[in-house]
Structure formats: C-alpha cells, structure tokens
Amino acid sequence: MRITKVGVVGAGVMGTGIAALSASAGLPVVLLDMPADGDRNSLAKGALGKALKAKPAPFMDVARAGLITTGNTEDHLELLADCDWIVEAIVERVEPKQALFARLEGVVHADAIVASNTSSIPMHVLTTGRSDAFKRNFLGTHFFNPVRYLHLLEVIPTAATSDATLARIRRFSERTLGKGVVIAKDAPGFIANRLGLYGMVRVLRLMEQFGLTIDEVDALTGPFIGRAKSATFRTSDISGIDVLAHVAASTGAGTGEDFALPAWVHQLIAEGRLGEKTGAGGFYRKEKKGILTLDWRTMQYAPQVDGFPAELAYLRKAPLAERLRGLTTASGHRAEFVRTLLQEVSQYTIEKTPELAHDIASVDRAMEWGYGYDMGPYRQMDAMGLEFLKGAYVRDRKAEPPLLAVAQEGFYRQLNSGPRQLTLTGGYAPIESIPGLLDLSALHVSGKVLDETPGAALLDLGDGVLLLEFRGKMNTLGPDIFTILERASARIRTGKHEGLVIGNADPRTFTAGADLSLVAAQVQAGDWTGLERGVHAFQQGVMSLRRLPFPVVVAPFGLTLGGGCEMLLHADAVQAHAELYCGLVEVGVGLLPGGGGTKELLFRFTRELASYEEADPFEGVKRAFKLISMGTTSTSAHEARHLGFLRERDRISMNRDRLLADAKARVLDLAPDYSTQSPMTIRALGREALGNLEYAVWAMREAGYISEHDVRIGTRIAYVLSGGDGPPRDVTEQDVLDLEREAFLQLLGTKETQERIAHMLTTGKPLRN
C-alpha cells in the first residue's frame, strides 16, 4: 500500500520541517499541535507561518504549503484517520508520547504506519500497552535538523515491527522524501546522536582541559578534520543548547553513561542564551557589527577571530586523508587536542557499534548524512591508520575491543570484486549498496571509463547509455568537456548506444560554470582572437546538445551556475535533483551569459507567449532581462521551474543518490522515437524594447542601486535581448548568439570586468565596482 497522505503531530521545528518536506514532495499533510487559547489552532498555524519565512527555507516550493491542513490534537485528531503515515514529534518525554499513541490507536486505519521522531528514547518503551497490531505498524523515523537539507533518516524498527512496515517506510522515505535511510538498532540515541553527543561532550571537556577558546575549537573541529562547516559550537547554536542539554540528560539516564555538560553550559540555558532561536546568543551572538564569540571562562562575548593555529597551516590544504594521517604525528598543544579527541571518539565508536548498528557502513553513512562528515568514523580511522588506534589502547593499558582486534589492514578493503567491510563478527563482507545509486567510483575501478581527459571522462552506464562526467576543480567547464562530448557523439552515432547523460558524483557542485582562469589568462596575454574562437566553440558545444541525433539528459544538482545552467537550458530533458541552486550569474564577474544562455531565455520566454494573442511580447524580454541582470539563482528545483530554468516536462528527483539512475532511465525513455529538435526563429522587438530596458537601467542608477559599470553591463544585456537597436525583425538562434558573443567580448575588454574576474578568482567573492 502506497503512502499518499501524511499526518504530523507536534508543530515544533522538527514536526513543521517534516510537514514542509512532505508537502514539498507533493503529499497532502495534516499538522496538529496542542489547542491554544482563543484560536485553538494557532500553534500549528503559527508554526506554519513561521516556516514560510524561515531561513534556510523548510519548503522547496512555498506554494505547496497549501497542501498542509492545520488543527489541534483535541478537536481534530480524526483528521489523521485517512493518513497512511503519522509521525509523532511532540515533547521529548515518555509519558506524553505514550498517551498520544494510546489515542491514535483508536483513530488510524489498519494499514497506517505510526512513527516517532524521538531523538533518543528507545522505541519499544513508547509502545508499552499498545496492541500487537499497532506494534507491527510502529517504528522510529528519526529526522535531522534542518529536515529538508540533512540527508539522513534513521529508521528504528522494534522487535515487533513487521517486515512489510519496514519495507514500506524505507521505500517511501528514499523515493518520495529523498532520504538516505540507515536502519538503526533500538538503543538510546540510536547511531548518529549517540556518537555525535559523545563527541560534543568530549569536545567541551577537552576544550577546558587544554585551555582553548571556542573560536580555536571550531577552527579545529570543522572542515579541517572533515566535519561540517558549522563545526561544534555553531552546530549547537543552530539546534539549540537546551536541546543539547535535554538529549544529554535523557541519553545519560537511558545508558548510565556520563554525558554531563559543564556548569557554564547550564548557566547559558538558565540565562536564556539558547542559540539562534532566542536572539540572545549562545556560544555565538550575532550583532550588526559582526559575530561575537563567548568566552566560556568569563561568560562575556568578544569579536570572533580566526582560531586556526599557525603551526598546523602546513596540513590545512592537504587532502583529508593526508590531513588526518598527519595529525597523528603533528606537534603542538592544539594538535594534541585534536589527536586526543579523534582517539577518544574512535574508541567509543568501536566499542558501541555492536550495540547501535548492524554494520560499520551504517555508522559511516549515519555520520556523513546526519552530521555532515566528509568521512565517517571508520573511514577516518582507516585514514589515520589502525596502528594509531591500537597504540592508544596499549598506552592506556586497555584491552582492544573485539572489532579492532580482528581488523586487518583496515575496517574496509578494496577487492577486484568490489569494496568489503569488516563485519561485527569478524571477516569481511560486501557493503550493502545504496538503493538506486549508480556508483561512479565503482565504474571507474571496473574498467567502464571509455575515454578521459584531465577535465572530463566518458563512462559506460550500461544498457547503451553513456555518461559525460565533469572532473575539474568545482567541475568548471573548459575545452576538455566539449572534446569528450564530441567523442561521445561519435561513439553514439555508430548505433551501439542509445544516448547520453551529463552528470557527476560531486556531493555539492554540478558545475560552477566556465573556467574563468582560462579566460583571465587569455585576456592577460591579449589573445582576443583565441577568446573569440573559444566563446564561439563554447556556444556551439552547448547548442550541439539539441542538434545531436540522440537524447541528451542533463542531471544537475546543487550549484549549477553560468555555463552549467546554459547546458541544462539546451538539453532535450533535465533530470534535476530537488536541491538545485541554478542561475545565470555572469553579471557577478561583469559579463553576460555568453554560452547561449541569454539567447535561450529570450527564445524560451518569447515562444511561451506566442500562443496568446493578447500577450505583450515585451513581457518575455523583460522576464529574461530581470533574471540575467539580477543574477537570479533558484533555491530549489521547484523554484527553478517557476523561474523558467526548468520546463514542465523536466523532472525532479527527490533523492540525490538516485539522480543518475533516474537520468539514465529518462534517456532510455526518450531514445526509441527520438528526433532532433528543429531550429527556432522569433520576432526580435528592436529599438522599442531596447529603450524600455535602458530606461529601467538608468532608473536603477539614479536610485543609487547600481554602479556605472553595472549600467554598461545592463545596456549590453538589453541590446542582445532586443535583437539590436533597429526595427523589429525575425531572428534565428545564430543571429542572437552572434550578438551575445559580441557583447560578451566587449565587456571582457573593460578594466572593470577584468577586475571583477581577478577578484573572484582570488577571493571566491564578487566585486562591486
């Protein structure tokens, strides 16, 4: 039975986040909270209203908030009667949860799955007194905050949960909600929070022991050791220091382990300094003049500083595995802090894994997906070397835990037949594959790379579908991309293949756009002939995506900027991940889209209006001008569709793991009756449209919103979108591409644009000049 309607009880941050994600996936949702005085539904209504304004946004598409019905638990519990999955997200105490489940048992239908989002309470405790039928359909679904953005969902079945219930919720969570599911054992804190909480407590105590500051600790426990950018204390401010204290207390009570927090942390809570949600500060405090950091000794705030130690600078830019290995022998007080932390957390992880997880891969996935680790704990241990861990046990005169004692050269092994993991009973076994994942790393080691250059590769995905993979820094686009595209085309034209997917496995960036370093080098050399030739080749390469005699499906995700956005605009079809941050952002470096993007938005928006007799064609020109001149970037694939970067026929994958497989299926769907797209012609509006756009640019300058160089950029964009400054005329795609290329090169020749490019390459940030 499919899950087609969702119920959420508890409209706090987590409950509202679950409701927003479910609605974003297109499901109707019932969101209930306790009755309030006056408007009895005001708690749920207020939470929904707050979510619509929240940053980062819980909704992928704010219009889908209309799928959520709000109510209260006294008057509207019956609204849950036709829900197929009801998740509890109320106060983190056993008794209220048990009371709610007693009421729900008399309301929900026989096949409904009831779940708890508790972060630490064992599931079997919550179903005390419930019927066997209720217990068969009950389990834990533990989301992580923010629900939309963190990939992990821990699913915790009890001994009574049926296999069918577990299979239904897993498929729904992976396919519909886009989550990475880890099956956890029913132990306090489950996997990620149990290990994450231990690490947090150890950081606090070691910070005191080593006499470090919060700025120093966050500099050392974030990306430097492969953890999230928010590191330790920023993460706690986001989730709430009171939540940290509550989870620490409940986990300590449930396990008998020492998770006590220092007295100064409890003082913060007593004073209402709970983190971001209070505005009173926490470990950090935001003010107009900047960010302040708490001095835990004095409980006062001071301006934030870069706490990274100079003595470890030599490791900072090394690959993560080398960094971790280097830390095992690095000298200095702060290196010893990190080394001690990694040792203690590794020891705890090894010792507790049999209690918490079914295998070590589940531990790594939980910490990577839920806490933003670049490497999970066991992958980190392999990078540091098992001799480092074994030495710590010898030094401390402690017996090695069985899992470490039976490990050979590492917890993981790479064999010709595929990767293996150390099992909890000894020996090595295959790693359970992530459902739906096309593992490009496995294709690389199994001889499926058909062609490659430093910046791109061509892989065989099987079933006649090839993949063009970007592989440069930030997956920037250079000549290598189009070299491999030409070679892919030659292979597919032989009739031995069906089509092409353009995508890659980078965790965050599809592509940052064209390689500006190549452009800057040619400008410095004064090679304007080469630049003109290069821009023309880029345009024709992008245009070839719709001229090839086979389907090309682009599979974008994450950052998809500039030339990457131009690629998806020209593809036969797009299979986008729901988290798509797509835009033509060239104005940020003083340019306009020069790879066909300016042309394509003009043609797309003009043609959309063509079937409406009364429509003003200038509206299409204006829409394109606004997107390009403002450098507008989508905040999701749904918004990219509203903006016009995606078409109605383009599809969205909720789960990043399944994106390439979905794109491959789309190629196979299009291939049997595929025909090449026809060339297009539109009516360019000429001088009248140009005058209107130039007036808008002038007004922005007069109001002080833009610089003189912004005026120059805006005028060039307007000129291209108007088809020049003559009378209205019919134009082909190539006509507008020629105008686009000319304007691009004109702007590239200005001092201000060259300064913007240099600043972006140096700092990674735009320059306003």
Side-chain angles (χ1 to χ4, degrees), residues 587 590-591 709-718 747 753 756:
V587 292
L591 296 167
H709 191 52
D710 292 325
V711 171
R712 186 180 296 120
I713 299 166
T715 301
R716 289 291 87 200
I717 296 169
L747 290 170
T753 286
R756 289 189 183 192

Side-chain angles (χ1 to χ4, degrees), residues 491-505:
R491 284 178 178 270
I492 298 172
R493 287 172 189 268
T494 65
K496 295 180 180 178
H497 301 282
E498 301 289 344
L500 181 70
V501 171
I502 298 178
N504 62 76

Side-chain angles (χ1 to χ4, degrees), residues 332-662:
H333 188 60
R334 292 164 185 83
E336 183 62 26
F337 161 80
V338 178
R339 187 160 46 246
T340 304
L341 175 65
L342 292 173
Q343 283 176 345
E344 292 184 358
V345 170
S346 296
Q347 289 175 352
Y348 186 81
T349 300
I350 294 169
E351 292 163 12
K352 296 300 176 184
T353 290
E355 175 189 344
L356 306 177
H358 296 282
D359 54 35
I360 67 171
S362 293
V363 173
D364 279 351
R365 289 171 182 173
M367 301 311 291
E368 289 167 3
W369 295 345
Y371 275 72
Y373 285 21
D374 290 332
M375 282 184 177
Y378 284 99
R379 292 175 62 205
Q380 286 186 359
M381 291 182 229
D382 277 357
M384 290 185 289
L386 297 196
E387 66 277 6
F388 167 68
L389 301 174
K390 290 173 179 284
Y393 279 99
V394 172
R395 181 198 65 212
D396 298 337
R397 297 182 179 181
K398 293 170 62 177
E400 284 185 19
L403 197 58
L404 181 59
V406 298
Q408 297 172 20
E409 69 272 18
F411 291 105
Y412 292 101
R413 299 175 70 182
Q414 183 63 52
L415 304 180
N416 291 333
S417 56
R420 296 290 187 270
Q421 64 174 328
L422 181 68
T423 68
L424 302 187
T425 55
Y428 290 83
I431 301 168
E432 182 185 1
S433 61
I434 297 171
L437 176 70
L438 275 176
D439 187 349
L440 299 191
S441 62
L443 294 180
H444 275 276
V445 300
S446 60
K448 299 298 183 181
V449 178
L450 304 179
D451 205 340
E452 59 184 328
T453 65
L458 185 66
L459 280 68
D460 186 350
L461 296 181
D463 301 313
V465 180
L466 303 184
L467 171 78
L468 178 97
E469 177 191 36
F470 307 153
R471 52 165 44 171
K473 183 179 180 182
M474 294 288 287
N475 292 321
T476 52
L477 307 176
D480 281 5
I481 301 296
F482 298 107
T483 296
I484 293 295
L485 178 61
E486 288 178 11
R487 295 175 186 174
S489 175
R491 284 178 178 270
I492 298 172
R493 287 172 189 268
T494 65
K496 295 180 180 178
H497 301 282
E498 301 289 344
L500 181 70
V501 171
I502 298 178
N504 62 76
D506 189 280
R508 299 177 184 88
T509 303
F510 176 68
T511 172
D515 188 344
L516 286 176
S517 66
L518 298 178
V519 174
Q522 286 182 287
V523 169
Q524 188 147 7
D527 183 11
W528 294 99
T529 300
L531 279 164
E532 197 280 337
R533 192 163 50 240
V535 176
H536 182 268
F538 197 102
Q539 288 180 330
Q540 295 309 306
V542 170
M543 282 293 292
S544 74
L545 298 182
R546 64 169 42 145
R547 293 172 178 163
L548 295 169
F550 52 81
V552 178
V553 175
V554 174
F557 58 89
L559 285 179
T560 302
L561 304 177
C565 184
E566 288 171 319
M567 280 190 151
L568 72 85
L569 285 170
H570 287 83
D572 293 301
V574 177
Q575 186 74 43
H577 181 224
E579 296 298 346
L580 178 66
Y581 315 127
C582 171
L584 297 170
V585 297
E586 287 83 352
V587 292
V589 289
L591 296 167
L592 85 172
T598 307
K599 178 274 304 178
E600 185 60 22
L601 287 190
L602 173 64
F603 271 70
R604 179 172 292 191
F605 297 158
T606 299
R607 286 167 62 86
E608 283 180 4
L609 295 172
S611 58
Y612 301 96
E613 269 186 40
E614 303 301 318
D616 179 358
F618 180 67
E619 289 300 315
V621 177
K622 185 170 70 173
R623 183 182 176 193
F625 179 79
K626 184 177 179 181
L627 280 181
I628 295 168
S629 64
M630 300 293 288
T632 304
T633 302
S634 69
T635 59
S636 69
H638 296 84
E639 187 182 17
R641 180 173 281 155
H642 292 314
L643 292 172
F645 295 129
L646 298 183
R647 300 153 295 193
E648 284 303 315
R649 71 173 185 265
D650 293 325
R651 297 179 181 175
I652 298 172
S653 297
M654 288 294 286
N655 195 322
R656 173 73 177 85
D657 295 331
R658 294 178 175 268
L659 179 62
L660 291 177
D662 290 345

Side-chain angles (χ1 to χ4, degrees), residues 163-245:
D163 292 342
T165 295
L166 181 59
R168 278 178 68 202
I169 203 68
R170 182 167 191 172
R171 176 174 173 78
F172 168 76
S173 302
E174 289 169 343
R175 288 293 307 186
T176 306
L177 300 184
K179 290 301 176 186
V181 171
V182 168
I183 308 299
K185 292 183 178 178
D186 191 17
F190 319 121
I191 301 172
N193 272 1
R194 181 76 166 271
L195 300 180
L197 177 63
Y198 178 83
M200 176 68 195
V201 172
R202 293 311 304 153
V203 166
L204 287 166
R205 295 181 185 176
L206 289 171
M207 180 176 70
E208 293 179 330
Q209 178 183 326
F210 281 82
L212 302 182
T213 67
I214 285 174
D215 283 331
E216 287 176 316
V217 169
D218 266 1
L220 292 168
T221 61
F224 181 59
I225 58 170
R227 308 287 173 85
K229 188 177 180 180
S230 54
T232 300
F233 293 101
R234 173 86 177 104
T235 298
S236 297
D237 270 0
I238 293 170
S239 60
I241 300 172
D242 57 331
V243 174
L244 168 65

Side-chain angles (χ1 to χ4, degrees), residues 23-46:
S24 295
L27 297 163
V29 179
V30 174
L31 176 63
L32 306 181
D33 208 311
M34 295 185 298
D37 295 333
D39 180 355
R40 290 170 63 82
N41 301 335
S42 62
L43 290 180
K45 284 181 181 177

Side-chain angles (χ1 to χ4, degrees), residues 15-82:
T16 306
I18 296 166
L21 178 64
S22 301
S24 295
L27 297 163
V29 179
V30 174
L31 176 63
L32 306 181
D33 208 311
M34 295 185 298
D37 295 333
D39 180 355
R40 290 170 63 82
N41 301 335
S42 62
L43 290 180
K45 284 181 181 177
L48 182 57
K50 187 175 180 181
L52 289 170
K53 301 173 185 176
K55 299 293 181 184
F59 286 95
M60 295 175 179
D61 180 359
V62 293
R64 296 198 174 186
L67 289 169
I68 298 179
T69 300
T70 57
N72 70 76
T73 52
E74 284 191 10
D75 303 329
H76 303 116
L77 208 64
E78 72 280 357
L79 292 177
L80 302 174
D82 61 346

